[in-house]
Amino acid sequence: LLKEYDEPSQRAGRRNREMGEEEKVQVPPLPKSMITREMLDSMLQGGGRSKTCMEVGKEWYKATGALLASDARKSGVTYKSYYESKYPHLKDDYDQIDKDLPRSMPTSFSRKDLVSFLTPLHATKEEEKEKKILDVLGRILRAFVVRRPAIGYSQGMNSIALFLLAFMDEEKAFWTFTYIITSLRTPDFYSGVPFNMSGLRVAVSCVQSLAEKRKSISKKTDGKLADEGMTSAQLIKMMSFPVLAVLFVDYAPLLPLILYWDAFLRGRMGDDASILMALAAIENGEEATSGNDGDDDESGGSLTRRFTSKGYHVDLERTNAVFQNLKQHQQDQHHAEKESKSKTGKNVKDWPSREDIKTQLCASQQACAREMASEGHHLYAVIKATSISPGDIKRYQISFREMTKGSCDNTINEEQFITLVTAAAKESKNSSSSSKDSAGDEEAPSGKGISAELARALFSVADKDKNGGGDF
């Protein structure tokens, strides 16, 4: 369930581990120190693409995107070859990118500090500069779609890519962006049908579970939310979905945002950092609203609205406490006790460790598989149960779209299901063992087939579970 469809170097490392061999992929060690307060102040004053920003971006790239660029050079693949390629079957992704580009201007963001920070990307005497940066952004997004067609483009990716351009040049931004989407996010985070962004759902579920265990929302607040027809679980979901999709861009204040991105990228904490940041936002909202009934609150509105708006405003002190804790856990598996206090009064060691997050993500993956099977997404269940490759997944997705013909619920009957999985399995067996396909460098088909008998059994079990009669 936790199999990651990641980049070549990570796939090689995973295969080595599965075979009991030592890790052969050389990954740069984690830095001894992250961003300092002086560096943050310098970036705040200088804006995007300032000298300090570019220095930070260089470190981000070395820790992430440089690994992919090195693999690509050895294979003779270039960034230019990606964005110059055009494939008819990717038209939907191209069209959505074109729609989202005009929304990627600094003025389209709501946070003033972010608008000011990104303005240097456009500020120039030349009228064409504004169009130029959107052209650069468009090339990055289109190149990614060509490289990873099974993932494609999703709304929110444009904000992530634009923020990267404040720290590095175009090609480095592309490789770093690709590493983020494919190697630092939970599996299937942005994937379409039949996955339906299940990775995002899993991450949100993980945040909900950890928040419940930590009692991040008090019973008093939970009672007030009930008066508004809202539960704490619904509030956590509502807060987590948008921020996890865009890595907190335009939600968190600028300096905590940069500190979080530094942990996410240079520290290679990935969505462990995202989940911790979401927890920090929830507990920040609880702290900011727990002692106020809202009658004299300057923001006004419902508790839900005040909790959300204040929660996103995580300060630098709390952000630093969270990621110093993660760094400590990463360096010391025995969780050496460190009695520094966070703003909430809890010990730093009280924040979940990366092992805690990994365990909860595994449980959330299983819950998500059950949920999607109960909703009729049997194809998702089969894919997750058979360890097939990204090349196979793409074939399933294309066949799935054709078979469901765009139906709203993406459900299929038993005969359609069996026809689909057996046909895809047969095609997989007959496919070439080449490591690349015609639209990017997806992993080659695994050649592991699915028999009609297995398909029928899986459908039957999932169908019983859908009706509450079985244990999928």
Side-chain angles (χ1 to χ4, degrees), residues 42-246:
S42 175
M43 285 185 278
L44 183 62
Q45 295 174 5
R49 301 193 73 82
S50 64
K51 181 179 179 180
T52 307
C53 283
M54 300 304 282
E55 290 175 353
V56 170
K58 183 178 179 180
E59 294 300 317
W60 289 358
Y61 173 72
K62 286 168 60 178
T64 56
L67 305 174
L68 305 186
S70 176
D71 278 349
R73 282 193 296 270
K74 294 175 183 177
S75 304
V77 178
T78 66
Y79 165 56
K80 184 178 180 181
S81 68
Y82 284 129
Y83 71 71
E84 288 185 343
S85 300
K86 301 291 182 182
Y87 295 97
H89 67 280
L90 299 177
K91 184 179 182 300
D92 290 345
D93 290 308
Y94 295 151
D95 290 345
Q96 188 60 53
I97 290 171
D98 291 337
K99 289 180 182 178
D100 283 355
L101 284 178
R103 307 169 191 165
S104 304
M105 304 298 299
T107 51
S108 67
F109 294 108
S110 59
R111 293 198 61 88
K112 293 181 180 179
D113 54 356
L114 181 62
V115 171
S116 177
F117 180 72
L118 294 178
T119 296
L121 298 182
H122 303 264
T124 180
K125 295 180 180 179
E126 302 174 14
E127 295 181 357
E128 292 299 314
K129 179 68 173 181
E130 185 174 284
K131 182 177 182 297
K132 182 179 178 181
I133 194 64
L134 292 185
D135 288 342
V136 170
L137 182 60
R139 285 197 294 269
I140 291 174
L141 297 174
R142 292 187 188 94
F144 175 78
V145 168
V146 172
R147 180 176 172 89
R148 301 306 301 265
I151 297 178
Y153 172 78
S154 295
Q155 287 182 317
M157 288 184 176
N158 55 326
S159 298
I160 296 173
L162 181 64
F163 194 69
L164 280 173
L165 286 171
F167 296 88
M168 58 190 76
D169 62 34
E170 179 179 348
E171 184 169 352
K172 289 181 179 178
F174 165 72
W175 291 116
T176 304
F177 174 79
T178 303
Y179 192 93
I180 288 174
I181 304 301
T182 60
S183 299
L184 291 179
R185 310 243 62 182
T186 50
D188 308 318
F189 197 96
Y190 294 104
S191 298
V193 294
F195 297 97
N196 295 327
M197 299 182 76
S198 61
L200 175 56
R201 296 169 64 168
V202 168
V204 170
S205 175
C206 182
V207 173
Q208 288 178 307
S209 298
L210 291 173
E212 182 179 349
K213 291 178 181 178
R214 289 174 56 79
K215 296 181 172 54
S216 298
I217 297 181
S218 66
K219 291 183 178 180
K220 179 180 178 181
T221 300
D222 200 31
K224 292 180 180 179
L225 288 171
D227 294 338
E228 298 179 2
M230 175 76 69
T231 67
S232 57
Q234 289 172 330
L235 177 60
I236 294 170
K237 184 176 182 179
M238 183 180 71
M239 286 185 67
S240 302
F241 256 105
V243 295
L244 291 177
V246 298

Side-chain angles (χ1 to χ4, degrees), residues 18-67:
E18 289 172 352
M19 295 172 63
E21 301 176 11
E22 294 184 1
E23 175 64 74
K24 296 181 180 180
V25 178
Q26 296 298 317
V27 178
L30 290 173
K32 294 182 179 180
S33 61
M34 300 292 186
I35 287 180
T36 64
R37 181 55 191 263
E38 291 73 19
M39 294 169 70
L40 288 172
D41 291 338
S42 175
M43 285 185 278
L44 183 62
Q45 295 174 5
R49 301 193 73 82
S50 64
K51 181 179 179 180
T52 307
C53 283
M54 300 304 282
E55 290 175 353
V56 170
K58 183 178 179 180
E59 294 300 317
W60 289 358
Y61 173 72
K62 286 168 60 178
T64 56
L67 305 174

Side-chain angles (χ1 to χ4, degrees), residues 325 328-329 331-339 348-349:
N325 175 66
Q328 174 68 19
H329 284 320
Q331 293 173 343
D332 184 356
Q333 293 300 319
H334 297 289
H335 300 177
E337 298 193 2
K338 182 178 179 182
E339 296 301 322
V348 170
K349 64 179 182 179

